[in-house]
């Protein structure tokens, strides 16, 4: 896998529904530049991720529509 291809598919590592390829993981283990870019992306996402998830009450939709 090339660095260009790895960068294109790096977002797959953050998507729970999309299985990341073993080839991408292997590339990140051997390429310091891509591993650093991925670490930076993880750090940026962690900084903006809310501490808690807010969940609407069961009757939220009904109350909102009324």
């Amino acid at each position: 896998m090339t660095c260009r291809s790895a960068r294109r598919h790096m977002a797959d590592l953050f998507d729970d529904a999309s299985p990341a390829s073993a080839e991408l993981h292997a590339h990140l283990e051997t390429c310091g530049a891509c591993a650093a870019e991925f670490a930076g992306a993880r750090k940026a996402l962690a900084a903006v991720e809310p501490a808690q998830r807010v969940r609407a009450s069961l009757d939220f939709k009904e109350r909102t529509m009324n």
Side-chain angles (χ1 to χ4, degrees):
M1 174 171 277
T2 64
C3 291
R4 185 177 186 175
S5 178
R7 285 188 201 106
R8 267 198 319 258
H9 296 289
M10 213 173 280
D12 293 345
L13 296 173
F14 297 104
D15 185 7
D16 293 335
S18 176
S21 72
E23 187 178 14
L24 177 56
H25 284 289
H27 180 80
L28 290 175
E29 288 177 11
T30 60
C31 179
C34 288
E37 185 173 334
F38 178 64
R42 286 181 68 178
K43 185 176 180 180
L45 284 175
V48 297
E49 188 173 340
Q52 295 180 343
R53 290 199 173 252
V54 177
R55 296 197 184 260
S57 62
L58 295 174
D59 63 338
F60 176 77
K61 182 178 178 180
E62 181 181 340
R63 289 185 300 127
T64 302
M65 298 307 286
N66 288 332

